[in-house]
Amino acid sequence: QVQLVESGGGLVQSGGSLRLSCAASRLPLKYYNIGWFRQAPGKEREGVSCISRRDDTTLYQDSVKGRFAISRDSSKNTVYLQMNNLKPEDTGVYYCAADGATYGTTCSSSSAEYEQWGQGTQVTVSS
């Protein structure tokens, strides 16, 4: 099974940027739909963005559209989440996850669809 490790989190002021990385080992990420999720204190985990393995179709939560961008670099076996114009409400632990879905299935924003998870990376946006 693929193993995932997130990095790139940190403390940033409102309006700043961060780029999160999700590095995979054991198996190529190209065989998976990849999702980014986040969980704020006291709240449920929510889908932020995902990228489909067939054609790199991307999906975004409405609150991050135009500010976040997900991408895949197969040569590095890594998926990135570029986060711009960060807001305090973006604060939380960010997780990447892999879904070994049937080829051609569009990635999902539901955490229930994902089998493998990273350990998470903390993002804190100060006002």
Side-chain angles (χ1 to χ4, degrees):
Q1 291 179 333
V2 67
Q3 286 191 329
L4 306 173
V5 178
E6 303 95 334
S7 62
L11 173 64
V12 64
Q13 289 187 333
S14 182
S17 298
L18 287 173
R19 188 178 77 159
L20 305 184
S21 298
C22 173
S25 60
R26 294 190 177 181
L27 287 173
L29 279 180
K30 66 181 182 181
Y31 295 138
Y32 297 87
N33 290 342
I34 301 297
W36 280 100
F37 295 81
R38 67 186 179 191
Q39 188 166 18
K43 295 187 177 181
E44 293 187 354
R45 190 172 298 186
E46 62 178 358
V48 175
S49 181
C50 67
I51 187 166
S52 302
R53 72 175 196 176
R54 180 186 65 180
D55 55 6
D56 282 353
T57 297
T58 58
L59 297 176
Y60 296 94
Q61 183 193 100
D62 285 346
S63 68
V64 307
K65 285 181 180 177
R67 300 188 298 122
F68 290 12
I70 189 171
S71 62
R72 186 197 305 263
D73 186 338
S74 295
S75 68
K76 297 182 178 180
N77 213 26
T78 299
V79 169
Y80 300 99
L81 185 67
Q82 177 66 44
M83 306 187 297
N84 299 325
N85 191 22
L86 282 161
K87 303 176 181 181
E89 51 264 42
D90 294 319
T91 294
V93 179
Y94 283 69
Y95 301 89
C96 67
D99 170 18
T102 301
Y103 184 78
T105 303
T106 300
C107 65
S108 171
S109 61
S110 170
S111 61
E113 298 297 322
Y114 294 81
E115 304 93 23
Q116 302 300 319
W117 292 79
Q119 83 290 348
T121 185
Q122 176 71 46
V123 171
T124 303
V125 184
S126 63
S127 57

